[in-house]
Amino acid sequence: MKPVMRRVMCGSVLVVAVLAMSRPSAATVPLIGGLGGPIGYGWNCLSPNDDGSSALIDLGPAFPFGLRFFTTTHTSAYVNTNGNITFSGALPTYTPAAFPVASRPMIAPYWADVDIRWHDGFCDGPIGTSPGYYACESPTDNGVWWWMEPGRFIVTWDNVGYYSCHVNLVMDFQLVLTAAEGCAGAGDFDVEFRFNTCQWTTGDASGGSGGFGGTAAQAGFDAGNSVDFVEIPGSRSPTIHTTLCNDSNVGVPGLWRYEIRSGTIVCPDAGLPCDTGLLGACAEGVTQCVGSGTVCSQVVEPSPERCDALDNDCDGETDEGDGLCSIYEVCVDGNCEERCSEFGCPTGQVCGPDDICVDAECLYVDCPPGQRCVDGTCVGACDGVVCPHGLQCRSGRCVDLCETIECDECTVCEDGVCVTRCAYEPCPAGEECQADGSCLETACATVTCPEGQYCEGGACLDSCAGAVCPVGEVCELGACVPYEEPPPPEGPPEVTDTGTTPDAPPDMPPDADIDAVTDPSGDVPWDFTWSPAHEGCGCSLAR
């Protein structure tokens, strides 16, 4: 329990802090303003308090069908001083607990010990009460405001300080709830966390000192049932404030967006590598959101076994079978190596165990499963691989992740992730909506490229340009395919009777009757050495 404080002057130290507060040290995305009220964040606010909450707020004017959040549809909410909104009841808890919790369903852009009592040079108390003299019409920093309009509810924590009565460091952030449009059902909505200034993580009563240490802030979603939750990575860590301001899940530092559909946070973990539980290369998968959870979709199919230290055919054995290397080589630890001979080993190799030539630097290197030694270093199947345009490397294979992903009628697959179709979410500037629901560069909208090419900037480019395929493969028509050496020529060189006698070599009698013998390519004549001892075939062929 926090100690009770008397109403006191916070002192000259905090006055200096207020001056610093007007010049934030870190700024990212702007907060949404122009919403009315004295500072543009609305007319509704919390009076100065610590650990306080609003009265019950009716969400009906903004969301007539309520907000479907996990298993419950909510028609009202509470705005809490400590960086969150809750359903089913207010939440005064100031030290964030690790999700999941069983207290209140919560959407938390920044659950931490916010203290908004510093106003006009006073730190008001006792804690948790409102002195009554402060009105929302008085413009000031270090306040919590909200705005409601049809289809949208915005809560702003405006340059708020931390417990106890500190504003030397501030957090400036917003929560934006928007009714979903297009392919969405009743109660579906979208969420934005917008962070403009991020300078502290912890209040004094949460084990912090100077705004840091102790139990740091938490960000994300909690169903309040001790089971279902989604949190932003780094929550409750010492760097959560910099993560929220500098990172993003949509590529804009400080901006985090989520879709809530049928109560589920849509695909926050979509597109992540996962294990299908199958054998070998077939274990490679990518997460896909289905219903209230995720499934692991297989992205690598069985393929013929090759010498690469992988179980390509997914039968539980690695590099097994014949024909993985040439007739003079054997597969050892994912590499085709020559057998030792009386002439020694190739340059840079030594004769190792089992009379096999191996790289000198790899002689005593033992690589883990799925890796092989190259120049003394264990490398993975995708190390050094640059797949053709539009493909990604998984378990030593360049694959199209969308071939095995099934999206619903509202989404289309891009790089293994189901994203909203452009019919429901407009394309970025410079792109046009296609019939399949994807966005395409405007300059390429009327360009049709041949197989193995793609369009960029209105021009067709080779999908294999710059590609470095996995070991044993070569890029052809935009795909990495197994490399097959051409078979050697069979039998003696082709002999063609042209009916004429070619010029005889210097050591051949001028009256020798021979046929013209040509290289199989037809370009370079064979060298002849005449032998009078061989009647009828008076020459031997040598290159």
Side-chain angles (χ1 to χ4, degrees):
M1 182 175 180
K2 290 182 178 178
V4 175
M5 294 184 62
R6 295 181 179 275
R7 179 171 175 169
V8 297
M9 197 76 172
C10 284
S12 59
V13 173
L14 286 182
V15 172
V16 174
V18 171
L19 296 177
M21 184 178 64
S22 66
R23 299 186 297 273
S25 61
T28 51
V29 295
L31 303 189
I32 299 173
L35 303 176
I39 57 176
Y41 294 141
W43 290 101
N44 301 292
C45 74
L46 295 178
S47 295
N49 76 89
D50 178 60
D51 305 334
S53 301
S54 70
L56 185 66
I57 300 172
D58 179 14
L59 298 175
F63 310 105
F65 300 103
L67 299 175
R68 187 175 178 186
F69 187 59
F70 290 100
T71 58
T72 305
T73 297
H74 301 279
T75 59
S76 58
Y78 296 84
V79 172
N80 302 302
T81 301
N82 290 326
N84 57 68
I85 69 168
T86 49
F87 308 100
S88 305
L91 184 69
T93 306
Y94 52 88
T95 299
F99 288 166
V101 296
S103 52
R104 303 280 188 275
M106 174 194 304
I107 300 177
Y110 203 73
W111 181 16
D113 196 357
V114 176
D115 189 339
I116 61 171
R117 291 172 297 151
W118 171 263
H119 292 287
D120 300 324
F122 288 95
C123 194
D124 304 303
I127 293 173
T129 67
S130 174
Y133 73 86
Y134 174 68
C136 289
E137 289 79 4
S138 301
T140 180
D141 286 338
N142 197 27
V144 180
W145 307 76
W146 65 92
W147 169 265
M148 188 182 302
E149 63 185 28
R152 194 164 66 158
F153 180 56
I154 301 176
V155 184
T156 305
W157 284 263
D158 176 32
N159 285 310
V160 293
Y162 60 98
Y163 181 85
S164 169
C165 199
H166 300 299
V167 288
N168 60 313
L169 303 173
V170 297
M171 291 291 301
D172 196 29
F173 59 97
Q174 269 180 338
L175 167 65
V176 182
L177 308 183
T178 306
E181 298 180 348
C183 193
D188 290 346
F189 63 106
D190 300 326
V191 177
E192 275 190 358
F193 297 159
R194 305 178 71 92
F195 293 90
N196 180 264
T197 306
C198 304
Q199 297 180 342
W200 61 267
T201 66
T202 318
D204 296 349
S206 300
S209 176
F212 297 96
T215 304
Q218 171 111 307
F221 307 82
D222 195 295
N225 59 6
S226 297
V227 177
D228 301 310
F229 70 97
V230 172
E231 70 176 11
I232 292 180
S235 289
R236 302 174 81 246
S237 77
T239 58
I240 181 59
H241 63 309
T242 57
T243 295
L244 293 173
C245 256
N246 298 336
D247 295 341
S248 170
N249 66 344
V250 292
V252 180
L255 180 61
W256 302 76
R257 285 180 178 153
Y258 299 88
E259 295 180 350
I260 316 295
R261 300 294 183 268
S262 299
T264 299
I265 315 324
V266 175
C267 297
D269 299 318
L272 298 178
C274 60
D275 190 334
T276 64
L278 301 176
L279 296 176
C282 298
E284 188 74 40
V286 62
T287 54
Q288 179 181 3
C289 288
V290 175
S292 60
T294 59
V295 298
C296 188
S297 296
Q298 181 180 344
V299 296
V300 177
E301 298 293 329
S303 64
E305 198 70 18
R306 65 178 72 128
C307 183
D308 57 4
L310 297 174
D311 177 14
N312 306 106
D313 55 8
C314 306
D315 65 352
E317 298 184 16
T318 300
D319 293 349
E320 83 279 7
D322 299 325
L324 302 184
C325 300
S326 71
I327 190 172
Y328 302 110
E329 296 178 324
V330 62
C331 183
V332 179
D333 297 330
N335 295 300
C336 286
E337 308 287 7
E338 293 185 14
R339 298 182 184 275
C340 303
S341 71
E342 57 184 307
F343 303 106
C345 291
T347 302
Q349 294 188 337
V350 296
C351 189
D354 302 324
D355 294 328
I356 301 298
C357 293
V358 297
D359 289 345
E361 296 177 345
C362 292
L363 183 58
Y364 300 108
V365 176
D366 186 16
C367 294
Q371 296 189 10
R372 57 193 180 91
C373 181
V374 177
D375 297 330
T377 302
C378 293
V379 299
C382 288
D383 290 352
V385 173
V386 179
C387 289
H389 178 78
L391 304 183
Q392 293 80 33
C393 187
R394 295 290 188 273
S395 289
R397 299 274 302 280
C398 288
V399 298
D400 180 356
L401 295 180
C402 287
E403 286 186 353
T404 57
I405 298 296
E406 295 183 5
C407 298
D408 59 26
E409 67 277 6
C410 299
T411 57
V412 62
C413 184
E414 293 183 3
D415 295 328
V417 179
C418 293
V419 299
T420 304
R421 289 178 178 267
C422 51
Y424 309 113
E425 184 171 308
C427 293
E431 297 184 10
E432 294 186 8
C433 187
Q434 304 300 296
D436 65 354
S438 64
C439 295
L440 181 67
E441 186 182 353
T442 300
C444 294
T446 58
V447 177
T448 301
C449 294
E451 183 181 4
Q453 297 186 15
Y454 68 99
C455 180
E456 184 176 299
C460 291
L461 305 179
D462 185 1
S463 296
C464 286
V468 180
C469 288
V471 60
E473 295 187 342
V474 63
C475 190
E476 295 180 358
L477 297 177
C480 288
V481 297
Y483 172 73
E484 297 182 2
E485 294 186 3
E490 298 181 359
E494 180 181 356
V495 179
T496 305
D497 184 1
T498 63
T500 62
T501 301
D503 294 337
D507 57 348
M508 179 179 286
D511 58 347
D513 185 10
I514 64 172
D515 293 327
V517 182
T518 62
D519 183 284
S521 67
D523 296 328
V524 182
W526 291 86
D527 294 328
F528 300 95
T529 302
W530 180 69
S531 174
H534 294 115
E535 188 72 19
C537 185
C539 63
S540 62
L541 301 174
R543 290 306 299 253

